[in-house]
Amino acid sequence: MRISLRIFWTPKRGNTAEEYEDAFWPPAPLDLDSKLFRFAVADGATETSFARSWAQLLTRAYCRDYLSEKKIRKHLPQLEQQWNSSIGKAALPWYAEEKLSHGAFATVLGLTVLEGTWQSTAIGDSCLFQVRDGRLLTAFPMTEAGDFNNRPPLLSSNKRNWNDELAHICRAQGTWQPNDVFYLMTDAIACWFLQCSTVGALCERASAVIDRAYSCAGEFEESIESLRDAGMRNDDVTLLRISVQ
């Protein structure tokens, strides 16, 4: 099985790269032969403390198979400890300390590709799309643009929330054929993608934006700015393009 990964991301309009709070793993493009490979994206909730660090931990955890149904409860305490270590011990104003006590929150979406099959796990509104011959075969976990709202399920770094949060895990699986393409997207671009497309039909405009980004360095940021001008929500944007053969 031949895997090809390309990564596209850009922060909110008006923000710097250092303020980008999405995360993804693997951290760089790749082309390789493998019998199994994992990919993940996460979207740190801006209103929570140190969400970027938590999102990064979650994407790496998925790709190490720590978020599987049988392993997630074992590994979450370790991730919580790693997050606490990552934020340092600098003194904070009282209101920041109060916010920090609630923990960080993020959506997370992972894809595992095996020989002829795939599996996916999601908490929240980051999305997986499977495309074949210009048709959208799979949309997960959101299937329509109207499914998005301002309060998606999130996974937190605070153990007090885990029982409730883990009830919102969604899992899916399917098969793939050579030359299928998978997209992992955080919510802003995923919502736009579903506004353009429906399962069974991929909008030519959506396909053209992504194909231009794939073929031309710098085109992705320009395309996102144009989409924001046209009404796409101003948010961090992450897109992983994975082709399989």
Side-chain angles (χ1 to χ4, degrees), residues 84-101:
N84 281 317
S85 298
S86 75
I87 64 179
K89 301 299 181 182
L92 297 171
W94 68 267
Y95 54 86
E97 289 283 0
E98 174 66 19
K99 185 177 179 182
L100 185 62
S101 70

Side-chain angles (χ1 to χ4, degrees), residues 47-50 83 87 90-105 157-158 160-161:
E47 65 275 10
T48 66
S49 297
F50 299 96
W83 178 76
I87 64 179
L92 297 171
W94 68 267
Y95 54 86
E97 289 283 0
E98 174 66 19
K99 185 177 179 182
L100 185 62
S101 70
H102 295 290
F105 292 74
S157 62
N158 191 325
R160 291 175 295 182
N161 302 320

Side-chain angles (χ1 to χ4, degrees), residues 1-202:
M1 174 177 67
R2 186 74 181 175
I3 295 282
S4 177
L5 167 69
R6 296 295 178 267
I7 300 164
F8 307 95
W9 65 273
T10 188
K12 296 180 184 72
R13 175 183 285 175
N15 282 11
T16 65
E18 289 70 28
E19 295 171 290
Y20 169 78
E21 292 180 307
D22 284 359
F24 51 86
W25 200 264
L30 55 84
D31 288 282
L32 54 77
D33 292 314
S34 178
K35 293 183 178 180
L36 181 154
F37 214 90
R38 296 185 178 92
F39 310 86
V41 298
D43 181 356
T46 300
E47 65 275 10
T48 66
S49 297
F50 299 96
R52 179 179 182 175
S53 296
W54 182 238
Q56 290 171 339
L57 284 168
L58 290 177
T59 56
R60 295 174 192 178
Y62 178 88
C63 292
R64 292 168 179 161
D65 196 29
Y66 292 171
L67 302 187
S68 67
E69 190 170 5
K70 294 182 178 180
K71 298 180 181 180
I72 188 168
R73 289 187 179 273
K74 173 184 176 181
H75 287 287
L76 277 175
Q78 300 170 16
L79 296 175
E80 179 188 30
Q81 292 175 4
Q82 291 174 31
W83 178 76
N84 281 317
S85 298
S86 75
I87 64 179
K89 301 299 181 182
L92 297 171
W94 68 267
Y95 54 86
E97 289 283 0
E98 174 66 19
K99 185 177 179 182
L100 185 62
S101 70
H102 295 290
F105 292 74
T107 70
V108 60
L109 170 78
L111 170 68
T112 300
V113 182
L114 305 98
E115 290 284 357
T117 65
W118 60 266
Q119 304 166 0
S120 185
T121 298
I123 297 180
D125 56 8
S126 293
C127 289
L128 163 72
F129 302 111
Q130 180 185 9
V131 174
R132 179 182 301 158
D133 297 329
R135 294 184 300 114
L136 179 60
L137 294 185
T138 305
F140 169 77
M142 305 302 193
T143 58
E144 299 178 358
D147 293 338
F148 292 84
N149 58 54
N150 293 326
R151 296 188 64 84
L154 300 167
L155 183 58
S156 77
S157 62
N158 191 325
K159 64 172 66 71
R160 291 175 295 182
N161 302 320
W162 290 341
N163 282 338
D164 291 337
E165 292 169 349
L166 293 179
H168 294 286
I169 289 182
C170 299
R171 302 189 190 276
Q173 60 185 3
T175 60
W176 60 266
Q177 295 180 9
N179 300 315
D180 281 2
V181 178
F182 294 92
Y183 299 104
L184 276 58
M185 304 184 191
T186 49
D187 60 330
I189 190 169
C191 183
W192 167 79
F193 189 84
L194 283 174
Q195 287 172 340
C196 297
S197 308
T198 58
V199 174
L202 178 63

